[in-house]
Amino acid sequence: QVQLVESGGGLVQAGDSLRLSCAASGRTFSTYAMGWFRQAPGKEREFVAVISRAEFMTYYGDSVKGRFTISRDNAKSTVYLQMSSLKPEDTAVYYCAVGRSALGRIPSDYDYWGQGTQVTVSS
């Protein structure tokens, strides 16, 4: 069992930056990949980014590539999502999740989810 707690969401202006954090507990953090997804009202959950457990390989969704950066600190059992050049279409609830495979990109590739943190980008 793994518990995940996201933080860092908020209301920002278009073009601003924001960093989300996700603290994990309950299992050895370095043994699993971590991903970020987001979900806007009325839309399906969308893949944002994933980072592998130890090799620090990363993969990004097309809509955030070049603007968002995922990283992890295994000593702190925390994964981060640095978001830059934010756009109104980035508005969503952002979720972190524990991956079952190395670089999963769909929700069914993930076992545990946080409660989400709201990010709102105004124009």
Side-chain angles (χ1 to χ4, degrees):
Q1 193 80 356
V2 178
Q3 293 77 43
L4 303 172
V5 179
E6 300 100 334
S7 61
L11 172 63
V12 296
Q13 301 271 357
D16 284 352
S17 298
L18 202 60
R19 188 177 82 157
L20 305 183
S21 300
C22 172
S25 61
R27 216 169 81 186
T28 305
F29 183 73
S30 61
T31 63
Y32 45 85
M34 293 295 299
W36 285 96
F37 286 74
R38 66 187 184 185
Q39 190 165 19
K43 295 188 176 181
E44 293 187 351
R45 195 160 293 193
E46 177 190 11
F47 168 75
V48 174
V50 61
I51 186 166
S52 63
R53 51 185 176 177
E55 292 82 15
F56 292 81
M57 291 183 293
T58 58
Y59 191 86
Y60 296 92
D62 288 341
S63 61
V64 306
K65 203 172 296 183
R67 299 188 297 122
F68 290 12
T69 302
I70 188 171
S71 62
R72 66 190 295 161
D73 185 338
N74 286 344
K76 295 183 178 180
S77 298
T78 300
V79 63
Y80 304 97
L81 185 68
Q82 178 67 47
M83 305 184 294
S84 302
S85 302
L86 283 162
K87 305 174 182 179
E89 51 263 44
D90 294 318
T91 296
V93 177
Y94 283 71
Y95 299 90
C96 66
V98 173
R100 189 180 308 125
S101 60
L103 290 172
R105 279 163 271 170
I106 58 176
S108 59
D109 287 334
Y110 292 79
D111 288 325
Y112 302 100
W113 295 81
Q115 82 289 347
T117 186
Q118 176 71 47
V119 172
T120 303
V121 184
S122 63
S123 57

mmCIF file of all heavy atoms in Angstrom, residues 70-98:
data_model
loop_
_atom_site.group_PDB
_atom_site.id
_atom_site.type_symbol
_atom_site.label_atom_id
_atom_site.label_comp_id
_atom_site.label_asym_id
_atom_site.label_seq_id
_atom_site.Cartn_x
_atom_site.Cartn_y
_atom_site.Cartn_z
ATOM 1 N N ILE A 70 9.327 16.791 -14.987
ATOM 2 C CA ILE A 70 9.112 15.897 -13.845
ATOM 3 C C ILE A 70 10.468 15.523 -13.259
ATOM 4 O O ILE A 70 11.450 15.322 -14.001
ATOM 5 C CB ILE A 70 8.316 14.636 -14.267
ATOM 6 C CG1 ILE A 70 7.924 13.822 -13.037
ATOM 7 C CG2 ILE A 70 9.081 13.810 -15.285
ATOM 8 C CD1 ILE A 70 6.953 12.678 -13.360
ATOM 9 N N SER A 71 10.528 15.446 -11.953
ATOM 10 C CA SER A 71 11.758 15.038 -11.275
ATOM 11 C C SER A 71 11.384 14.318 -9.988
ATOM 12 O O SER A 71 10.219 14.335 -9.574
ATOM 13 C CB SER A 71 12.646 16.247 -10.982
ATOM 14 O OG SER A 71 11.991 17.157 -10.115
ATOM 15 N N ARG A 72 12.361 13.683 -9.382
ATOM 16 C CA ARG A 72 12.089 12.976 -8.129
ATOM 17 C C ARG A 72 13.290 13.072 -7.215
ATOM 18 O O ARG A 72 14.438 13.159 -7.673
ATOM 19 C CB ARG A 72 11.711 11.518 -8.399
ATOM 20 C CG ARG A 72 12.816 10.666 -8.983
ATOM 21 C CD ARG A 72 12.262 9.307 -9.437
ATOM 22 N NE ARG A 72 11.785 8.519 -8.327
ATOM 23 C CZ ARG A 72 10.948 7.481 -8.455
ATOM 24 N NH1 ARG A 72 10.506 7.129 -9.656
ATOM 25 N NH2 ARG A 72 10.549 6.804 -7.403
ATOM 26 N N ASP A 73 12.999 13.020 -5.931
ATOM 27 C CA ASP A 73 14.032 12.977 -4.893
ATOM 28 C C ASP A 73 13.736 11.732 -4.070
ATOM 29 O O ASP A 73 12.854 11.748 -3.201
ATOM 30 C CB ASP A 73 13.979 14.241 -4.041
ATOM 31 C CG ASP A 73 15.085 14.309 -3.024
ATOM 32 O OD1 ASP A 73 15.648 13.244 -2.663
ATOM 33 O OD2 ASP A 73 15.403 15.412 -2.561
ATOM 34 N N ASN A 74 14.474 10.658 -4.349
ATOM 35 C CA ASN A 74 14.188 9.400 -3.657
ATOM 36 C C ASN A 74 14.485 9.483 -2.164
ATOM 37 O O ASN A 74 13.853 8.794 -1.366
ATOM 38 C CB ASN A 74 14.978 8.264 -4.309
ATOM 39 C CG ASN A 74 14.405 7.864 -5.655
ATOM 40 O OD1 ASN A 74 13.274 8.209 -5.995
ATOM 41 N ND2 ASN A 74 15.189 7.147 -6.446
ATOM 42 N N ALA A 75 15.408 10.325 -1.772
ATOM 43 C CA ALA A 75 15.722 10.482 -0.345
ATOM 44 C C ALA A 75 14.546 11.109 0.414
ATOM 45 O O ALA A 75 14.345 10.847 1.601
ATOM 46 C CB ALA A 75 16.963 11.333 -0.172
ATOM 47 N N LYS A 76 13.761 11.918 -0.288
ATOM 48 C CA LYS A 76 12.598 12.567 0.324
ATOM 49 C C LYS A 76 11.289 11.887 -0.052
ATOM 50 O O LYS A 76 10.211 12.346 0.343
ATOM 51 C CB LYS A 76 12.547 14.038 -0.095
ATOM 52 C CG LYS A 76 13.709 14.870 0.417
ATOM 53 C CD LYS A 76 13.552 16.333 0.014
ATOM 54 C CE LYS A 76 14.697 17.168 0.564
ATOM 55 N NZ LYS A 76 14.573 18.600 0.177
ATOM 56 N N SER A 77 11.366 10.829 -0.848
ATOM 57 C CA SER A 77 10.157 10.114 -1.299
ATOM 58 C C SER A 77 9.152 11.074 -1.930
ATOM 59 O O SER A 77 7.946 11.024 -1.640
ATOM 60 C CB SER A 77 9.495 9.358 -0.133
ATOM 61 O OG SER A 77 10.364 8.377 0.377
ATOM 62 N N THR A 78 9.664 11.934 -2.765
ATOM 63 C CA THR A 78 8.825 12.983 -3.354
ATOM 64 C C THR A 78 9.087 13.083 -4.848
ATOM 65 O O THR A 78 10.240 12.995 -5.292
ATOM 66 C CB THR A 78 9.104 14.337 -2.680
ATOM 67 O OG1 THR A 78 8.819 14.226 -1.287
ATOM 68 C CG2 THR A 78 8.231 15.427 -3.277
ATOM 69 N N VAL A 79 8.013 13.274 -5.592
ATOM 70 C CA VAL A 79 8.110 13.550 -7.015
ATOM 71 C C VAL A 79 7.562 14.953 -7.255
ATOM 72 O O VAL A 79 6.639 15.393 -6.574
ATOM 73 C CB VAL A 79 7.364 12.491 -7.847
ATOM 74 C CG1 VAL A 79 5.879 12.482 -7.542
ATOM 75 C CG2 VAL A 79 7.604 12.689 -9.337
ATOM 76 N N TYR A 80 8.160 15.647 -8.214
ATOM 77 C CA TYR A 80 7.805 17.028 -8.492
ATOM 78 C C TYR A 80 7.343 17.171 -9.941
ATOM 79 O O TYR A 80 7.726 16.404 -10.819
ATOM 80 C CB TYR A 80 9.010 17.949 -8.272
ATOM 81 C CG TYR A 80 9.607 17.851 -6.895
ATOM 82 C CD1 TYR A 80 10.719 17.058 -6.648
ATOM 83 C CD2 TYR A 80 9.063 18.563 -5.827
ATOM 84 C CE1 TYR A 80 11.271 16.958 -5.384
ATOM 85 C CE2 TYR A 80 9.612 18.477 -4.554
ATOM 86 C CZ TYR A 80 10.710 17.666 -4.342
ATOM 87 O OH TYR A 80 11.259 17.573 -3.080
ATOM 88 N N LEU A 81 6.545 18.205 -10.153
ATOM 89 C CA LEU A 81 6.179 18.592 -11.504
ATOM 90 C C LEU A 81 6.359 20.100 -11.598
ATOM 91 O O LEU A 81 5.576 20.858 -11.025
ATOM 92 C CB LEU A 81 4.742 18.208 -11.837
ATOM 93 C CG LEU A 81 4.325 18.487 -13.281
ATOM 94 C CD1 LEU A 81 5.083 17.542 -14.235
ATOM 95 C CD2 LEU A 81 2.821 18.322 -13.468
ATOM 96 N N GLN A 82 7.421 20.515 -12.278
ATOM 97 C CA GLN A 82 7.669 21.928 -12.508
ATOM 98 C C GLN A 82 6.934 22.333 -13.777
ATOM 99 O O GLN A 82 7.202 21.783 -14.849
ATOM 100 C CB GLN A 82 9.162 22.192 -12.654
ATOM 101 C CG GLN A 82 9.506 23.649 -12.941
ATOM 102 C CD GLN A 82 9.188 24.561 -11.777
ATOM 103 O OE1 GLN A 82 9.531 24.271 -10.631
ATOM 104 N NE2 GLN A 82 8.525 25.671 -12.061
ATOM 105 N N MET A 83 6.031 23.299 -13.647
ATOM 106 C CA MET A 83 5.207 23.726 -14.777
ATOM 107 C C MET A 83 5.550 25.168 -15.126
ATOM 108 O O MET A 83 5.506 26.036 -14.247
ATOM 109 C CB MET A 83 3.726 23.601 -14.418
ATOM 110 C CG MET A 83 3.346 22.200 -13.959
ATOM 111 S SD MET A 83 1.579 22.025 -13.649
ATOM 112 C CE MET A 83 1.378 23.113 -12.235
ATOM 113 N N SER A 84 5.891 25.405 -16.368
ATOM 114 C CA SER A 84 6.252 26.741 -16.822
ATOM 115 C C SER A 84 5.382 27.129 -18.012
ATOM 116 O O SER A 84 4.758 26.288 -18.643
ATOM 117 C CB SER A 84 7.728 26.776 -17.223
ATOM 118 O OG SER A 84 8.551 26.387 -16.162
ATOM 119 N N SER A 85 5.367 28.425 -18.298
ATOM 120 C CA SER A 85 4.577 28.944 -19.428
ATOM 121 C C SER A 85 3.156 28.391 -19.401
ATOM 122 O O SER A 85 2.633 27.898 -20.403
ATOM 123 C CB SER A 85 5.262 28.588 -20.755
ATOM 124 O OG SER A 85 6.567 29.104 -20.806
ATOM 125 N N LEU A 86 2.550 28.473 -18.242
ATOM 126 C CA LEU A 86 1.214 27.893 -18.073
ATOM 127 C C LEU A 86 0.184 28.584 -18.950
ATOM 128 O O LEU A 86 0.253 29.799 -19.193
ATOM 129 C CB LEU A 86 0.806 27.958 -16.603
ATOM 130 C CG LEU A 86 1.469 26.891 -15.724
ATOM 131 C CD1 LEU A 86 1.382 27.273 -14.256
ATOM 132 C CD2 LEU A 86 0.831 25.534 -15.968
ATOM 133 N N LYS A 87 -0.773 27.777 -19.413
ATOM 134 C CA LYS A 87 -1.839 28.251 -20.287
ATOM 135 C C LYS A 87 -3.187 27.976 -19.629
ATOM 136 O O LYS A 87 -3.300 27.064 -18.804
ATOM 137 C CB LYS A 87 -1.776 27.515 -21.627
ATOM 138 C CG LYS A 87 -0.440 27.590 -22.330
ATOM 139 C CD LYS A 87 -0.443 26.705 -23.570
ATOM 140 C CE LYS A 87 0.902 26.731 -24.267
ATOM 141 N NZ LYS A 87 0.906 25.852 -25.475
ATOM 142 N N PRO A 88 -4.221 28.703 -19.998
ATOM 143 C CA PRO A 88 -5.546 28.409 -19.427
ATOM 144 C C PRO A 88 -5.972 26.953 -19.642
ATOM 145 O O PRO A 88 -6.638 26.376 -18.782
ATOM 146 C CB PRO A 88 -6.459 29.377 -20.191
ATOM 147 C CG PRO A 88 -5.568 30.540 -20.497
ATOM 148 C CD PRO A 88 -4.228 29.926 -20.809
ATOM 149 N N GLU A 89 -5.559 26.356 -20.745
ATOM 150 C CA GLU A 89 -5.926 24.964 -20.996
ATOM 151 C C GLU A 89 -5.193 23.971 -20.102
ATOM 152 O O GLU A 89 -5.501 22.773 -20.134
ATOM 153 C CB GLU A 89 -5.713 24.595 -22.469
ATOM 154 C CG GLU A 89 -4.350 24.952 -23.013
ATOM 155 C CD GLU A 89 -4.346 26.284 -23.753
ATOM 156 O OE1 GLU A 89 -4.954 27.256 -23.245
ATOM 157 O OE2 GLU A 89 -3.712 26.362 -24.828
ATOM 158 N N ASP A 90 -4.249 24.453 -19.293
ATOM 159 C CA ASP A 90 -3.609 23.589 -18.293
ATOM 160 C C ASP A 90 -4.453 23.481 -17.025
ATOM 161 O O ASP A 90 -4.113 22.713 -16.117
ATOM 162 C CB ASP A 90 -2.225 24.127 -17.922
ATOM 163 C CG ASP A 90 -1.245 24.070 -19.077
ATOM 164 O OD1 ASP A 90 -1.231 23.059 -19.803
ATOM 165 O OD2 ASP A 90 -0.477 25.046 -19.258
ATOM 166 N N THR A 91 -5.534 24.238 -16.948
ATOM 167 C CA THR A 91 -6.406 24.192 -15.776
ATOM 168 C C THR A 91 -7.009 22.806 -15.611
ATOM 169 O O THR A 91 -7.624 22.268 -16.534
ATOM 170 C CB THR A 91 -7.522 25.239 -15.911
ATOM 171 O OG1 THR A 91 -6.947 26.548 -15.914
ATOM 172 C CG2 THR A 91 -8.519 25.116 -14.775
ATOM 173 N N ALA A 92 -6.801 22.218 -14.427
ATOM 174 C CA ALA A 92 -7.271 20.859 -14.167
ATOM 175 C C ALA A 92 -6.928 20.493 -12.725
ATOM 176 O O ALA A 92 -6.183 21.212 -12.042
ATOM 177 C CB ALA A 92 -6.612 19.856 -15.114
ATOM 178 N N VAL A 93 -7.447 19.359 -12.296
ATOM 179 C CA VAL A 93 -6.962 18.737 -11.065
ATOM 180 C C VAL A 93 -5.803 17.821 -11.458
ATOM 181 O O VAL A 93 -5.938 17.005 -12.376
ATOM 182 C CB VAL A 93 -8.068 17.928 -10.365
ATOM 183 C CG1 VAL A 93 -7.504 17.227 -9.130
ATOM 184 C CG2 VAL A 93 -9.233 18.832 -9.985
ATOM 185 N N TYR A 94 -4.692 17.987 -10.780
ATOM 186 C CA TYR A 94 -3.489 17.217 -11.081
ATOM 187 C C TYR A 94 -3.306 16.113 -10.041
ATOM 188 O O TYR A 94 -3.390 16.368 -8.832
ATOM 189 C CB TYR A 94 -2.269 18.127 -11.101
ATOM 190 C CG TYR A 94 -2.186 18.948 -12.372
ATOM 191 C CD1 TYR A 94 -3.072 19.989 -12.603
ATOM 192 C CD2 TYR A 94 -1.236 18.670 -13.346
ATOM 193 C CE1 TYR A 94 -3.020 20.732 -13.773
ATOM 194 C CE2 TYR A 94 -1.165 19.408 -14.522
ATOM 195 C CZ TYR A 94 -2.074 20.437 -14.724
ATOM 196 O OH TYR A 94 -2.013 21.164 -15.890
ATOM 197 N N TYR A 95 -3.057 14.906 -10.540
ATOM 198 C CA TYR A 95 -2.909 13.734 -9.688
ATOM 199 C C TYR A 95 -1.528 13.103 -9.897
ATOM 200 O O TYR A 95 -1.067 12.984 -11.037
ATOM 201 C CB TYR A 95 -3.942 12.674 -10.044
ATOM 202 C CG TYR A 95 -5.379 13.101 -9.884
ATOM 203 C CD1 TYR A 95 -6.066 13.697 -10.938
ATOM 204 C CD2 TYR A 95 -6.052 12.895 -8.684
ATOM 205 C CE1 TYR A 95 -7.390 14.078 -10.803
ATOM 206 C CE2 TYR A 95 -7.384 13.269 -8.532
ATOM 207 C CZ TYR A 95 -8.032 13.856 -9.596
ATOM 208 O OH TYR A 95 -9.354 14.231 -9.450
ATOM 209 N N CYS A 96 -0.924 12.662 -8.808
ATOM 210 C CA CYS A 96 0.251 11.814 -8.954
ATOM 211 C C CYS A 96 -0.177 10.367 -8.709
ATOM 212 O O CYS A 96 -1.212 10.116 -8.068
ATOM 213 C CB CYS A 96 1.368 12.221 -8.010
ATOM 214 S SG CYS A 96 1.004 11.997 -6.260
ATOM 215 N N ALA A 97 0.623 9.454 -9.233
ATOM 216 C CA ALA A 97 0.253 8.050 -9.138
ATOM 217 C C ALA A 97 1.487 7.168 -9.167
ATOM 218 O O ALA A 97 2.520 7.529 -9.746
ATOM 219 C CB ALA A 97 -0.682 7.680 -10.289
ATOM 220 N N VAL A 98 1.353 5.996 -8.563
ATOM 221 C CA VAL A 98 2.420 4.991 -8.532
ATOM 222 C C VAL A 98 2.267 4.071 -9.718
ATOM 223 O O VAL A 98 1.207 3.466 -9.915
ATOM 224 C CB VAL A 98 2.358 4.173 -7.237
ATOM 225 C CG1 VAL A 98 3.368 3.025 -7.287
ATOM 226 C CG2 VAL A 98 2.607 5.058 -6.038
#
